[in-house]
Amino acid sequence: MQEFTKKDCVGIGEEVFLKSRVVVLAPRALPGNHPGQLFFCTGVQGTENPRHSIAQLVSLSTGEVWKCWHRDVIGILKPELLGETARLQLSQIRPFGAKDLREHSPEYSGYSFLPDGRYAAGVWLADPEEAWEYVMMQKDYQHRIMICDRDDFAVLEMQEGQMLFPDVQTLEEFRQTQGHGGIRMA
């Protein structure tokens, strides 16, 4: 197992915002047989003293849900240090607070791709808000992200943090037409 230290992190300390970031846990916070220090933070239960806040995490080694003290987080991992296996595991995490799919029919699926084109199965997303949150939680770590609708048509594509589809001009035109009472058909 690779051991990560503060030098592998950006944002170190108790005031760092951890939600939707890949964090490194101190080895002392892990059982001796745990295969890795990398976790995705889905939220933080705050207290007056940040050292006593509890981070809600998902292990990027095992997929298990964890909780730990904020003080046990070394820092936020530099995105370029996240390995391929961890990126694929991260791509399978639905946004924190995502709707229960037994009660809500998903409208979208989210995919994240490695530079060589490999990807894991798509993740069901219940609505546009969940789809956008998926993009936001993946964008710093994934090479390419695609959101597809129920018919498997791409509705959003981002590569290396840059929006490819829809392009900025299309989004601006859409925003402007919405201010004038609806969508214009050409």
Side-chain angles (χ1 to χ4, degrees):
M1 172 180 85
Q2 178 180 359
E3 187 166 328
F4 294 96
T5 64
K6 286 183 180 183
K7 70 176 177 51
D8 299 314
C9 299
V10 294
I12 300 168
E14 289 141 11
E15 300 301 320
V16 174
F17 187 72
L18 302 177
K19 185 178 179 212
S20 294
R21 308 300 297 164
V22 173
V23 299
V24 177
L25 283 192
R28 71 177 182 279
L30 298 167
N33 63 348
H34 196 274
Q37 293 174 270
L38 302 181
F39 291 78
F40 183 75
C41 182
T42 58
V44 176
Q45 296 173 340
T47 64
E48 288 181 23
N49 182 344
R51 290 183 51 78
H52 299 296
S53 296
I54 297 173
Q56 300 163 338
L57 311 168
V58 176
S59 169
L60 295 183
S61 300
T62 65
E64 296 173 293
V65 175
W66 280 65
K67 288 187 180 184
C68 77
W69 296 108
H70 192 296
R71 65 180 172 257
D72 290 330
V73 174
I74 293 174
I76 296 170
L77 184 71
K78 292 177 182 174
E80 64 271 16
L81 297 179
L82 190 62
E84 291 180 347
T85 302
R87 288 177 195 272
L88 291 172
Q89 181 71 37
L90 175 61
S91 76
Q92 296 300 289
I93 300 173
R94 294 181 70 224
F96 179 70
K99 295 180 173 119
D100 186 338
L101 294 176
R102 292 174 294 202
E103 299 172 10
H104 295 88
S105 180
E107 295 179 31
Y108 301 97
S109 53
Y111 301 90
S112 294
F113 299 85
L114 297 176
D116 65 6
R118 287 182 293 148
Y119 67 100
V123 175
W124 287 118
L125 304 162
D127 56 31
E129 292 77 21
E130 280 185 23
W132 186 247
E133 184 146 347
Y134 179 81
V135 170
M136 292 296 100
M137 63 189 260
Q138 301 291 334
K139 72 180 180 71
D140 293 334
Y141 302 103
Q142 305 294 356
H143 172 71
R144 182 172 157 231
I145 302 162
M146 184 179 291
I147 302 295
C148 296
D149 64 14
R150 291 283 300 189
D151 296 322
D152 216 21
F153 289 108
V155 295
L156 182 146
E157 185 174 3
M158 181 179 278
Q159 186 166 321
E160 295 179 359
Q162 301 296 312
M163 188 76 77
L164 299 178
F165 177 78
D167 62 22
V168 174
Q169 181 180 351
T170 302
L171 285 173
E172 182 58 27
E173 288 173 4
F174 177 75
R175 187 188 67 74
Q176 289 176 0
T177 60
Q178 293 305 299
H180 295 97
I183 298 175
R184 282 184 311 169
M185 300 301 281

